[in-house]
Amino acid sequence: MTEIIRVLIAKPGLDGHDRGAKVVARALRDAGMEVIYTGLRQTPAMVAEAALQEDVDVVGLSILSGAHMALVPRIMEELQQRGLADLPVFLGGIIPRDDVAALQALGVSAVFGPGTESQTIISYIQNAVRGDPA
Amino acid sequence: MTRASRRHPDGAALATSALAGDRQATARLLTLVENGHSQGHIALAALYPRAGQAHVIGFTGSTGAGKSTLVSEVARELRSRGERVAIVAVDPTSPYSGGALLGDRLRMHDLVNDPGIFIRSMASRGHPGGMARATRDVITVLDALGVPVILVETVGAGQAQVEVARVAHTVVLVEAPGMGDDVQALKAGLMEIADIVVVNKADRPEARQTLQAIRSARLRGRFTEHERLGNAHPAADSITPGWLVPILETSALQHTGVADLVDAARAHREYLVSTTLWESLRADQAKADVEDWLDQKLRALAHERLGEARLMQQRPWCRTSSPS
Ligand SMILES: Nc1nc2c(ncn2[C@@H]2O[C@H](COP(=O)(O)OP(=O)(O)OP(=O)(O)O)[C@@H](O)[C@H]2O)c(=O)[nH]1
Ligand SMILES: [Mg+2]
């Protein structure tokens, strides 16, 4: 029997480049995870539906557009509607310090700024999946 | 479903919920069977009697031929005909890390908001025969849940192409125009496993040349051996005796030729049913299933009973002489 960590890396919103998301996706693959990569311009419903169908253990969102405070609540709501309220969600991108607490209150379990070491994200995911408190 | 119930799944309860239309239970069940989890086996045992109705269409072909885009178009066409559809997209596992990057959903965006479509990505996970086993189990679940058409995408490299033939009723080989007469699939001998050949990207001018190359290869009989040899052909489990392979053109980008492709797949299904090949295929797959299972069991048993050292003694020439 094999249990491999499955991660959804999604890029919601309208900003047009996904270099950062791809770098993270590859790093997670190289750490032995199965990474479902959905590409650009995902609506909140598309992110939640992909998380459901793929039965992922964790969701990573990459948001560079500054629209995180608009997008994240809608994504959390779509996840909740599908019974995925306790799925760990992490966020990567350029997130002002002041927004981090608000995002955590919405249920985001970690926020990673630009230049975060891959190993930090990998360790976070491994802990989140094992169910350790973040 | 809480994290705790993810850790202690109940296969029978998940099967019941999935049958009642719970998509999360379906997704969870697919993970369990893919992982070979004992609760997955319990669910499979409960679901298996309901399976056997779905038409499984495999799509294979070289990287970038447009398989995902085409599968997405085929799904859309089937939806317009009122069918529910599931898509199983298999990508290779990295042999170095055991991880995988599963990117086929990238081309299937438009389908995500349709509750009549369920898309699932899988990694090949690299065990010989393992991809076929896991894919077949995933298909069995979707089939048992009443999904009438299941589209399976695999990359046409090496073992995967043969394995897709083992899980699908109808194998669609997707080719795209390349350079001149150099048709990838002809070189790789891939035509042998196809029930339908598609030249995708027909919007590109070079497509005509590719089509010609494939047509003339057929005239030379390079991929019609099975029509002459029938069941005696060594790959007879992956091709359809007596079926004349249609060669079609599509443009997944411009939405052309897709209805013809769906019609051809339907015709192939009817051919299988009318010749009783449909049932014998299912029997063959059940047999392959048992053999895969037996291989695994015997291997595990040999390791457990004999141990590495005594196994190595059976092959003295394999023992590496110790350095010094
Ligand atoms: N011109 C043209 N381009 C196409 C067509 N179908 C797909 N493409 C393009 O071909 C590229 C590869 O398409 P995919 O659908 O990802 O191909 P694939 O065979 O699934 O690729 P892998 O899964 O990586 O093996 C994309 O850029 C598509 O937009 C077509 O009919 N015409
Ligand atoms: Mg693809």
Side-chain angles (χ1 to χ4, degrees), chain A residues 1-2 6 29-30 33-35 37-39 42 49 52-55 57, chain B residues 6 23 27-28 31 35 97 99-100 102 105-106 109 119-121 125:
Chain A
M1 201 190 90
T2 23
R6 286 169 70 85
R29 174 200 58 195
D30 295 342
M33 302 178 193
E34 289 179 356
V35 184
Y37 182 63
T38 57
Q42 300 286 294
E49 193 56 33
L52 178 132
Q53 293 179 1
E54 299 290 354
D55 188 40
D57 300 294
Chain B
R6 278 179 75 88
R23 292 157 70 79
R28 192 73 203 114
T31 306
N35 288 348
S97 72
L102 310 174
R105 290 186 84 98
L106 206 65
H109 280 176
I119 308 172
R120 183 61 177 234
S121 312
R125 296 194 180 173

PDB file of all heavy atoms in Angstrom, chain A residues 1-2 6 29-30 33-35 37-39 42 49 52-55 57, chain B residues 6 23 27-28 31 35 97 99-100 102 105-106 109 119-121 125:
ATOM      1  N   MET A   1       0.837  -1.204   0.000  1.00  0.00           N
ATOM      2  CA  MET A   1       0.000   0.000   0.000  1.00  0.00           C
ATOM      3  C   MET A   1       0.871   1.253   0.000  1.00  0.00           C
ATOM      4  O   MET A   1       1.837   1.345   0.714  1.00  0.00           O
ATOM      5  CB  MET A   1      -0.881  -0.020   1.252  1.00  0.00           C
ATOM      6  CG  MET A   1      -2.097   0.851   1.132  1.00  0.00           C
ATOM      7  SD  MET A   1      -2.933   1.012   2.719  1.00  0.00           S
ATOM      8  CE  MET A   1      -2.130   2.444   3.386  1.00  0.00           C
ATOM      9  N   THR A   2       0.515   2.187  -0.834  1.00  0.00           N
ATOM     10  CA  THR A   2       1.292   3.418  -0.925  1.00  0.00           C
ATOM     11  C   THR A   2       0.422   4.604  -0.552  1.00  0.00           C
ATOM     12  O   THR A   2      -0.732   4.671  -0.925  1.00  0.00           O
ATOM     13  CB  THR A   2       1.765   3.663  -2.369  1.00  0.00           C
ATOM     14  OG1 THR A   2       0.902   2.961  -3.253  1.00  0.00           O
ATOM     15  CG2 THR A   2       3.192   3.257  -2.560  1.00  0.00           C
ATOM     16  N   ARG A   6      -0.798  14.260  -1.993  1.00  0.00           N
ATOM     17  CA  ARG A   6      -1.311  14.919  -3.201  1.00  0.00           C
ATOM     18  C   ARG A   6      -1.600  16.391  -2.902  1.00  0.00           C
ATOM     19  O   ARG A   6      -2.274  16.696  -1.928  1.00  0.00           O
ATOM     20  CB  ARG A   6      -2.592  14.221  -3.682  1.00  0.00           C
ATOM     21  CG  ARG A   6      -2.315  12.873  -4.347  1.00  0.00           C
ATOM     22  CD  ARG A   6      -3.588  12.097  -4.556  1.00  0.00           C
ATOM     23  NE  ARG A   6      -4.474  12.653  -5.567  1.00  0.00           N
ATOM     24  CZ  ARG A   6      -4.378  12.413  -6.880  1.00  0.00           C
ATOM     25  NH1 ARG A   6      -3.423  11.642  -7.338  1.00  0.00           N
ATOM     26  NH2 ARG A   6      -5.233  12.945  -7.718  1.00  0.00           N
ATOM     27  N   ARG A  29       7.118  18.122  -6.404  1.00  0.00           N
ATOM     28  CA  ARG A  29       7.290  16.858  -7.127  1.00  0.00           C
ATOM     29  C   ARG A  29       8.633  16.235  -6.762  1.00  0.00           C
ATOM     30  O   ARG A  29       8.722  15.033  -6.478  1.00  0.00           O
ATOM     31  CB  ARG A  29       7.247  17.087  -8.643  1.00  0.00           C
ATOM     32  CG  ARG A  29       7.562  15.808  -9.428  1.00  0.00           C
ATOM     33  CD  ARG A  29       8.004  16.067 -10.845  1.00  0.00           C
ATOM     34  NE  ARG A  29       9.193  16.911 -10.898  1.00  0.00           N
ATOM     35  CZ  ARG A  29       9.628  17.518 -11.987  1.00  0.00           C
ATOM     36  NH1 ARG A  29       8.960  17.382 -13.123  1.00  0.00           N
ATOM     37  NH2 ARG A  29      10.710  18.269 -11.964  1.00  0.00           N
ATOM     38  N   ASP A  30       9.680  17.065  -6.739  1.00  0.00           N
ATOM     39  CA  ASP A  30      11.011  16.537  -6.436  1.00  0.00           C
ATOM     40  C   ASP A  30      11.131  16.067  -4.993  1.00  0.00           C
ATOM     41  O   ASP A  30      12.056  15.346  -4.645  1.00  0.00           O
ATOM     42  CB  ASP A  30      12.089  17.582  -6.763  1.00  0.00           C
ATOM     43  CG  ASP A  30      12.141  17.868  -8.265  1.00  0.00           C
ATOM     44  OD1 ASP A  30      11.614  17.028  -9.036  1.00  0.00           O
ATOM     45  OD2 ASP A  30      12.689  18.914  -8.658  1.00  0.00           O
ATOM     46  N   MET A  33       6.075  14.331  -3.958  1.00  0.00           N
ATOM     47  CA  MET A  33       4.624  14.527  -3.894  1.00  0.00           C
ATOM     48  C   MET A  33       4.013  14.476  -5.294  1.00  0.00           C
ATOM     49  O   MET A  33       4.693  14.710  -6.283  1.00  0.00           O
ATOM     50  CB  MET A  33       4.294  15.872  -3.245  1.00  0.00           C
ATOM     51  CG  MET A  33       4.874  15.995  -1.841  1.00  0.00           C
ATOM     52  SD  MET A  33       4.515  17.611  -1.109  1.00  0.00           S
ATOM     53  CE  MET A  33       5.639  17.570   0.295  1.00  0.00           C
ATOM     54  N   GLU A  34       2.714  14.195  -5.343  1.00  0.00           N
ATOM     55  CA  GLU A  34       1.988  14.270  -6.609  1.00  0.00           C
ATOM     56  C   GLU A  34       1.286  15.629  -6.648  1.00  0.00           C
ATOM     57  O   GLU A  34       0.472  15.933  -5.788  1.00  0.00           O
ATOM     58  CB  GLU A  34       0.997  13.109  -6.734  1.00  0.00           C
ATOM     59  CG  GLU A  34       1.734  11.796  -6.943  1.00  0.00           C
ATOM     60  CD  GLU A  34       0.871  10.564  -7.060  1.00  0.00           C
ATOM     61  OE1 GLU A  34      -0.364  10.667  -6.910  1.00  0.00           O
ATOM     62  OE2 GLU A  34       1.436   9.476  -7.288  1.00  0.00           O
ATOM     63  N   VAL A  35       1.653  16.410  -7.638  1.00  0.00           N
ATOM     64  CA  VAL A  35       1.193  17.792  -7.701  1.00  0.00           C
ATOM     65  C   VAL A  35       0.234  17.970  -8.874  1.00  0.00           C
ATOM     66  O   VAL A  35       0.606  17.730 -10.018  1.00  0.00           O
ATOM     67  CB  VAL A  35       2.384  18.748  -7.869  1.00  0.00           C
ATOM     68  CG1 VAL A  35       1.908  20.191  -7.836  1.00  0.00           C
ATOM     69  CG2 VAL A  35       3.428  18.500  -6.793  1.00  0.00           C
ATOM     70  N   TYR A  37      -1.481  20.441 -11.104  1.00  0.00           N
ATOM     71  CA  TYR A  37      -1.257  21.830 -11.461  1.00  0.00           C
ATOM     72  C   TYR A  37      -2.340  22.274 -12.438  1.00  0.00           C
ATOM     73  O   TYR A  37      -2.509  21.677 -13.500  1.00  0.00           O
ATOM     74  CB  TYR A  37       0.139  21.997 -12.076  1.00  0.00           C
ATOM     75  CG  TYR A  37       0.398  23.435 -12.389  1.00  0.00           C
ATOM     76  CD1 TYR A  37       0.434  24.356 -11.348  1.00  0.00           C
ATOM     77  CD2 TYR A  37       0.529  23.880 -13.691  1.00  0.00           C
ATOM     78  CE1 TYR A  37       0.606  25.700 -11.609  1.00  0.00           C
ATOM     79  CE2 TYR A  37       0.702  25.224 -13.961  1.00  0.00           C
ATOM     80  CZ  TYR A  37       0.735  26.128 -12.919  1.00  0.00           C
ATOM     81  OH  TYR A  37       0.888  27.456 -13.178  1.00  0.00           O
ATOM     82  N   THR A  38      -3.097  23.302 -12.055  1.00  0.00           N
ATOM     83  CA  THR A  38      -4.270  23.646 -12.877  1.00  0.00           C
ATOM     84  C   THR A  38      -4.087  24.886 -13.730  1.00  0.00           C
ATOM     85  O   THR A  38      -4.972  25.224 -14.506  1.00  0.00           O
ATOM     86  CB  THR A  38      -5.510  23.872 -11.999  1.00  0.00           C
ATOM     87  OG1 THR A  38      -5.205  24.896 -11.050  1.00  0.00           O
ATOM     88  CG2 THR A  38      -5.899  22.629 -11.261  1.00  0.00           C
ATOM     89  N   GLY A  39      -2.966  25.560 -13.581  1.00  0.00           N
ATOM     90  CA  GLY A  39      -2.718  26.695 -14.462  1.00  0.00           C
ATOM     91  C   GLY A  39      -3.404  27.983 -14.041  1.00  0.00           C
ATOM     92  O   GLY A  39      -3.920  28.102 -12.931  1.00  0.00           O
ATOM     93  N   GLN A  42      -7.943  30.607 -12.483  1.00  0.00           N
ATOM     94  CA  GLN A  42      -8.927  29.702 -11.913  1.00  0.00           C
ATOM     95  C   GLN A  42      -9.942  30.495 -11.097  1.00  0.00           C
ATOM     96  O   GLN A  42      -9.556  31.340 -10.289  1.00  0.00           O
ATOM     97  CB  GLN A  42      -8.219  28.697 -10.996  1.00  0.00           C
ATOM     98  CG  GLN A  42      -7.196  27.852 -11.714  1.00  0.00           C
ATOM     99  CD  GLN A  42      -7.846  26.810 -12.565  1.00  0.00           C
ATOM    100  OE1 GLN A  42      -8.492  25.907 -12.053  1.00  0.00           O
ATOM    101  NE2 GLN A  42      -7.739  26.949 -13.874  1.00  0.00           N
ATOM    102  N   GLU A  49     -13.496  22.747  -6.814  1.00  0.00           N
ATOM    103  CA  GLU A  49     -13.941  21.533  -7.505  1.00  0.00           C
ATOM    104  C   GLU A  49     -12.746  20.631  -7.817  1.00  0.00           C
ATOM    105  O   GLU A  49     -12.820  19.409  -7.664  1.00  0.00           O
ATOM    106  CB  GLU A  49     -14.701  21.922  -8.775  1.00  0.00           C
ATOM    107  CG  GLU A  49     -15.495  20.809  -9.432  1.00  0.00           C
ATOM    108  CD  GLU A  49     -16.516  20.123  -8.526  1.00  0.00           C
ATOM    109  OE1 GLU A  49     -17.086  20.784  -7.640  1.00  0.00           O
ATOM    110  OE2 GLU A  49     -16.726  18.909  -8.705  1.00  0.00           O
ATOM    111  N   LEU A  52     -11.674  18.894  -4.717  1.00  0.00           N
ATOM    112  CA  LEU A  52     -12.593  17.800  -4.382  1.00  0.00           C
ATOM    113  C   LEU A  52     -12.344  16.580  -5.265  1.00  0.00           C
ATOM    114  O   LEU A  52     -12.113  15.478  -4.766  1.00  0.00           O
ATOM    115  CB  LEU A  52     -14.041  18.275  -4.547  1.00  0.00           C
ATOM    116  CG  LEU A  52     -15.089  17.192  -4.270  1.00  0.00           C
ATOM    117  CD1 LEU A  52     -16.176  17.727  -3.346  1.00  0.00           C
ATOM    118  CD2 LEU A  52     -15.729  16.673  -5.541  1.00  0.00           C
ATOM    119  N   GLN A  53     -12.354  16.794  -6.584  1.00  0.00           N
ATOM    120  CA  GLN A  53     -12.233  15.657  -7.502  1.00  0.00           C
ATOM    121  C   GLN A  53     -10.891  14.945  -7.347  1.00  0.00           C
ATOM    122  O   GLN A  53     -10.807  13.731  -7.466  1.00  0.00           O
ATOM    123  CB  GLN A  53     -12.398  16.133  -8.951  1.00  0.00           C
ATOM    124  CG  GLN A  53     -13.811  16.631  -9.247  1.00  0.00           C
ATOM    125  CD  GLN A  53     -13.972  17.139 -10.674  1.00  0.00           C
ATOM    126  OE1 GLN A  53     -13.038  17.118 -11.485  1.00  0.00           O
ATOM    127  NE2 GLN A  53     -15.174  17.610 -10.985  1.00  0.00           N
ATOM    128  N   GLU A  54      -9.845  15.726  -7.067  1.00  0.00           N
ATOM    129  CA  GLU A  54      -8.512  15.128  -6.990  1.00  0.00           C
ATOM    130  C   GLU A  54      -8.203  14.595  -5.591  1.00  0.00           C
ATOM    131  O   GLU A  54      -7.156  14.009  -5.368  1.00  0.00           O
ATOM    132  CB  GLU A  54      -7.447  16.148  -7.411  1.00  0.00           C
ATOM    133  CG  GLU A  54      -7.601  16.660  -8.850  1.00  0.00           C
ATOM    134  CD  GLU A  54      -7.269  15.603  -9.906  1.00  0.00           C
ATOM    135  OE1 GLU A  54      -6.815  14.501  -9.525  1.00  0.00           O
ATOM    136  OE2 GLU A  54      -7.476  15.889 -11.098  1.00  0.00           O
ATOM    137  N   ASP A  55      -9.102  14.816  -4.649  1.00  0.00           N
ATOM    138  CA  ASP A  55      -8.916  14.352  -3.270  1.00  0.00           C
ATOM    139  C   ASP A  55      -7.523  14.701  -2.742  1.00  0.00           C
ATOM    140  O   ASP A  55      -6.792  13.837  -2.254  1.00  0.00           O
ATOM    141  CB  ASP A  55      -9.165  12.833  -3.166  1.00  0.00           C
ATOM    142  CG  ASP A  55      -9.169  12.360  -1.715  1.00  0.00           C
ATOM    143  OD1 ASP A  55      -9.712  13.074  -0.863  1.00  0.00           O
ATOM    144  OD2 ASP A  55      -8.611  11.271  -1.443  1.00  0.00           O
ATOM    145  N   ASP A  57      -4.540  16.414  -0.399  1.00  0.00           N
ATOM    146  CA  ASP A  57      -4.323  16.531   1.042  1.00  0.00           C
ATOM    147  C   ASP A  57      -4.141  17.972   1.462  1.00  0.00           C
ATOM    148  O   ASP A  57      -4.296  18.312   2.634  1.00  0.00           O
ATOM    149  CB  ASP A  57      -3.069  15.739   1.434  1.00  0.00           C
ATOM    150  CG  ASP A  57      -3.195  14.275   1.084  1.00  0.00           C
ATOM    151  OD1 ASP A  57      -4.052  13.618   1.682  1.00  0.00           O
ATOM    152  OD2 ASP A  57      -2.465  13.799   0.192  1.00  0.00           O
TER     153      ASP A  57
ATOM    154  N   ARG B   6     -10.378  10.709   7.333  1.00  0.00           N
ATOM    155  CA  ARG B   6      -9.481  10.433   6.207  1.00  0.00           C
ATOM    156  C   ARG B   6      -8.444   9.402   6.621  1.00  0.00           C
ATOM    157  O   ARG B   6      -8.008   8.593   5.823  1.00  0.00           O
ATOM    158  CB  ARG B   6      -8.754  11.715   5.784  1.00  0.00           C
ATOM    159  CG  ARG B   6      -9.560  12.612   4.884  1.00  0.00           C
ATOM    160  CD  ARG B   6      -8.760  13.851   4.566  1.00  0.00           C
ATOM    161  NE  ARG B   6      -7.707  13.588   3.594  1.00  0.00           N
ATOM    162  CZ  ARG B   6      -7.896  13.659   2.283  1.00  0.00           C
ATOM    163  NH1 ARG B   6      -9.062  13.967   1.798  1.00  0.00           N
ATOM    164  NH2 ARG B   6      -6.912  13.427   1.456  1.00  0.00           N
ATOM    165  N   ARG B  23     -19.948  13.276  -4.194  1.00  0.00           N
ATOM    166  CA  ARG B  23     -18.739  13.365  -5.024  1.00  0.00           C
ATOM    167  C   ARG B  23     -17.470  13.294  -4.197  1.00  0.00           C
ATOM    168  O   ARG B  23     -16.441  12.807  -4.656  1.00  0.00           O
ATOM    169  CB  ARG B  23     -18.772  14.648  -5.851  1.00  0.00           C
ATOM    170  CG  ARG B  23     -19.856  14.626  -6.912  1.00  0.00           C
ATOM    171  CD  ARG B  23     -20.261  16.026  -7.344  1.00  0.00           C
ATOM    172  NE  ARG B  23     -19.245  16.726  -8.107  1.00  0.00           N
ATOM    173  CZ  ARG B  23     -18.995  16.523  -9.401  1.00  0.00           C
ATOM    174  NH1 ARG B  23     -19.688  15.638 -10.064  1.00  0.00           N
ATOM    175  NH2 ARG B  23     -18.080  17.207 -10.018  1.00  0.00           N
ATOM    176  N   ALA B  27     -14.347  10.711  -4.719  1.00  0.00           N
ATOM    177  CA  ALA B  27     -12.947  11.113  -4.836  1.00  0.00           C
ATOM    178  C   ALA B  27     -12.070  10.357  -3.834  1.00  0.00           C
ATOM    179  O   ALA B  27     -10.977   9.895  -4.146  1.00  0.00           O
ATOM    180  CB  ALA B  27     -12.819  12.616  -4.624  1.00  0.00           C
ATOM    181  N   ARG B  28     -12.585  10.213  -2.624  1.00  0.00           N
ATOM    182  CA  ARG B  28     -11.867   9.531  -1.552  1.00  0.00           C
ATOM    183  C   ARG B  28     -11.663   8.052  -1.898  1.00  0.00           C
ATOM    184  O   ARG B  28     -10.600   7.476  -1.685  1.00  0.00           O
ATOM    185  CB  ARG B  28     -12.704   9.694  -0.275  1.00  0.00           C
ATOM    186  CG  ARG B  28     -12.034   9.325   0.987  1.00  0.00           C
ATOM    187  CD  ARG B  28     -10.973  10.337   1.408  1.00  0.00           C
ATOM    188  NE  ARG B  28     -10.024   9.691   2.294  1.00  0.00           N
ATOM    189  CZ  ARG B  28      -8.753   9.474   1.999  1.00  0.00           C
ATOM    190  NH1 ARG B  28      -8.236   9.896   0.865  1.00  0.00           N
ATOM    191  NH2 ARG B  28      -7.960   8.854   2.834  1.00  0.00           N
ATOM    192  N   THR B  31      -8.943   7.446  -4.332  1.00  0.00           N
ATOM    193  CA  THR B  31      -7.626   7.444  -3.687  1.00  0.00           C
ATOM    194  C   THR B  31      -7.347   6.088  -3.038  1.00  0.00           C
ATOM    195  O   THR B  31      -6.255   5.535  -3.177  1.00  0.00           O
ATOM    196  CB  THR B  31      -7.553   8.543  -2.608  1.00  0.00           C
ATOM    197  OG1 THR B  31      -7.903   9.790  -3.199  1.00  0.00           O
ATOM    198  CG2 THR B  31      -6.156   8.639  -2.018  1.00  0.00           C
ATOM    199  N   ASN B  35      -4.365   3.584  -4.086  1.00  0.00           N
ATOM    200  CA  ASN B  35      -3.306   3.249  -3.138  1.00  0.00           C
ATOM    201  C   ASN B  35      -3.263   1.766  -2.787  1.00  0.00           C
ATOM    202  O   ASN B  35      -2.395   1.334  -2.042  1.00  0.00           O
ATOM    203  CB  ASN B  35      -3.480   4.057  -1.849  1.00  0.00           C
ATOM    204  CG  ASN B  35      -3.126   5.523  -2.049  1.00  0.00           C
ATOM    205  OD1 ASN B  35      -2.550   5.887  -3.069  1.00  0.00           O
ATOM    206  ND2 ASN B  35      -3.479   6.354  -1.091  1.00  0.00           N
ATOM    207  N   SER B  97      12.283  10.919  -7.809  1.00  0.00           N
ATOM    208  CA  SER B  97      11.708  11.333  -6.528  1.00  0.00           C
ATOM    209  C   SER B  97      10.465  10.535  -6.153  1.00  0.00           C
ATOM    210  O   SER B  97      10.057  10.542  -5.002  1.00  0.00           O
ATOM    211  CB  SER B  97      11.343  12.812  -6.587  1.00  0.00           C
ATOM    212  OG  SER B  97      10.218  13.012  -7.418  1.00  0.00           O
ATOM    213  N   GLY B  99       7.701  11.456  -7.060  1.00  0.00           N
ATOM    214  CA  GLY B  99       6.631  12.446  -7.197  1.00  0.00           C
ATOM    215  C   GLY B  99       6.204  12.583  -8.645  1.00  0.00           C
ATOM    216  O   GLY B  99       6.740  11.913  -9.530  1.00  0.00           O
ATOM    217  N   ALA B 100       5.221  13.438  -8.891  1.00  0.00           N
ATOM    218  CA  ALA B 100       4.748  13.628 -10.259  1.00  0.00           C
ATOM    219  C   ALA B 100       4.111  14.996 -10.403  1.00  0.00           C
ATOM    220  O   ALA B 100       3.550  15.537  -9.449  1.00  0.00           O
ATOM    221  CB  ALA B 100       3.742  12.546 -10.629  1.00  0.00           C
ATOM    222  N   LEU B 102       1.165  16.608 -12.381  1.00  0.00           N
ATOM    223  CA  LEU B 102      -0.005  16.182 -13.142  1.00  0.00           C
ATOM    224  C   LEU B 102      -0.657  17.430 -13.734  1.00  0.00           C
ATOM    225  O   LEU B 102      -1.308  18.188 -13.025  1.00  0.00           O
ATOM    226  CB  LEU B 102      -0.966  15.418 -12.222  1.00  0.00           C
ATOM    227  CG  LEU B 102      -0.308  14.305 -11.383  1.00  0.00           C
ATOM    228  CD1 LEU B 102      -1.296  13.694 -10.403  1.00  0.00           C
ATOM    229  CD2 LEU B 102       0.275  13.211 -12.277  1.00  0.00           C
ATOM    230  N   ARG B 105      -5.143  18.737 -16.381  1.00  0.00           N
ATOM    231  CA  ARG B 105      -6.328  19.570 -16.111  1.00  0.00           C
ATOM    232  C   ARG B 105      -6.202  20.964 -16.721  1.00  0.00           C
ATOM    233  O   ARG B 105      -7.194  21.626 -16.977  1.00  0.00           O
ATOM    234  CB  ARG B 105      -6.542  19.742 -14.602  1.00  0.00           C
ATOM    235  CG  ARG B 105      -6.981  18.520 -13.882  1.00  0.00           C
ATOM    236  CD  ARG B 105      -7.303  18.854 -12.429  1.00  0.00           C
ATOM    237  NE  ARG B 105      -8.649  19.364 -12.290  1.00  0.00           N
ATOM    238  CZ  ARG B 105      -9.691  18.632 -11.914  1.00  0.00           C
ATOM    239  NH1 ARG B 105      -9.537  17.374 -11.612  1.00  0.00           N
ATOM    240  NH2 ARG B 105     -10.880  19.162 -11.830  1.00  0.00           N
ATOM    241  N   LEU B 106      -4.955  21.362 -16.924  1.00  0.00           N
ATOM    242  CA  LEU B 106      -4.650  22.654 -17.537  1.00  0.00           C
ATOM    243  C   LEU B 106      -5.449  22.879 -18.814  1.00  0.00           C
ATOM    244  O   LEU B 106      -5.836  23.999 -19.126  1.00  0.00           O
ATOM    245  CB  LEU B 106      -3.154  22.642 -17.862  1.00  0.00           C
ATOM    246  CG  LEU B 106      -2.382  23.926 -17.940  1.00  0.00           C
ATOM    247  CD1 LEU B 106      -2.334  24.613 -16.606  1.00  0.00           C
ATOM    248  CD2 LEU B 106      -0.943  23.613 -18.389  1.00  0.00           C
ATOM    249  N   HIS B 109     -10.093  23.208 -18.472  1.00  0.00           N
ATOM    250  CA  HIS B 109     -10.723  24.236 -17.646  1.00  0.00           C
ATOM    251  C   HIS B 109     -12.225  24.339 -17.790  1.00  0.00           C
ATOM    252  O   HIS B 109     -12.948  24.397 -16.806  1.00  0.00           O
ATOM    253  CB  HIS B 109     -10.149  25.618 -18.015  1.00  0.00           C
ATOM    254  CG  HIS B 109      -8.833  25.852 -17.365  1.00  0.00           C
ATOM    255  ND1 HIS B 109      -8.089  26.968 -17.593  1.00  0.00           N
ATOM    256  CD2 HIS B 109      -8.145  25.109 -16.493  1.00  0.00           C
ATOM    257  CE1 HIS B 109      -6.975  26.892 -16.892  1.00  0.00           C
ATOM    258  NE2 HIS B 109      -6.986  25.780 -16.222  1.00  0.00           N
ATOM    259  N   ILE B 119     -13.223  14.743 -13.275  1.00  0.00           N
ATOM    260  CA  ILE B 119     -11.864  14.603 -13.805  1.00  0.00           C
ATOM    261  C   ILE B 119     -10.925  14.155 -12.697  1.00  0.00           C
ATOM    262  O   ILE B 119     -10.925  14.718 -11.607  1.00  0.00           O
ATOM    263  CB  ILE B 119     -11.335  15.937 -14.368  1.00  0.00           C
ATOM    264  CG1 ILE B 119     -12.323  16.539 -15.372  1.00  0.00           C
ATOM    265  CG2 ILE B 119      -9.961  15.749 -15.003  1.00  0.00           C
ATOM    266  CD1 ILE B 119     -11.943  17.953 -15.828  1.00  0.00           C
ATOM    267  N   ARG B 120     -10.114  13.163 -12.981  1.00  0.00           N
ATOM    268  CA  ARG B 120      -9.179  12.682 -11.984  1.00  0.00           C
ATOM    269  C   ARG B 120      -7.800  12.485 -12.606  1.00  0.00           C
ATOM    270  O   ARG B 120      -7.672  11.829 -13.632  1.00  0.00           O
ATOM    271  CB  ARG B 120      -9.692  11.348 -11.430  1.00  0.00           C
ATOM    272  CG  ARG B 120      -8.845  10.778 -10.334  1.00  0.00           C
ATOM    273  CD  ARG B 120      -8.780  11.700  -9.126  1.00  0.00           C
ATOM    274  NE  ARG B 120      -8.018  11.034  -8.106  1.00  0.00           N
ATOM    275  CZ  ARG B 120      -8.444  10.835  -6.867  1.00  0.00           C
ATOM    276  NH1 ARG B 120      -9.607  11.296  -6.471  1.00  0.00           N
ATOM    277  NH2 ARG B 120      -7.694  10.207  -6.009  1.00  0.00           N
ATOM    278  N   SER B 121      -6.780  13.058 -11.981  1.00  0.00           N
ATOM    279  CA  SER B 121      -5.405  12.890 -12.450  1.00  0.00           C
ATOM    280  C   SER B 121      -4.739  11.771 -11.660  1.00  0.00           C
ATOM    281  O   SER B 121      -4.946  11.654 -10.462  1.00  0.00           O
ATOM    282  CB  SER B 121      -4.606  14.179 -12.233  1.00  0.00           C
ATOM    283  OG  SER B 121      -5.315  15.307 -12.694  1.00  0.00           O
ATOM    284  N   ARG B 125       3.216   5.955 -11.168  1.00  0.00           N
ATOM    285  CA  ARG B 125       3.824   5.312  -9.997  1.00  0.00           C
ATOM    286  C   ARG B 125       4.782   4.173 -10.310  1.00  0.00           C
ATOM    287  O   ARG B 125       5.223   3.463  -9.410  1.00  0.00           O
ATOM    288  CB  ARG B 125       2.750   4.867  -8.994  1.00  0.00           C
ATOM    289  CG  ARG B 125       1.997   6.067  -8.435  1.00  0.00           C
ATOM    290  CD  ARG B 125       1.176   5.758  -7.222  1.00  0.00           C
ATOM    291  NE  ARG B 125       0.478   6.974  -6.753  1.00  0.00           N
ATOM    292  CZ  ARG B 125      -0.417   6.996  -5.789  1.00  0.00           C
ATOM    293  NH1 ARG B 125      -0.739   5.877  -5.164  1.00  0.00           N
ATOM    294  NH2 ARG B 125      -0.979   8.119  -5.423  1.00  0.00           N
TER     295      ARG B 125
END
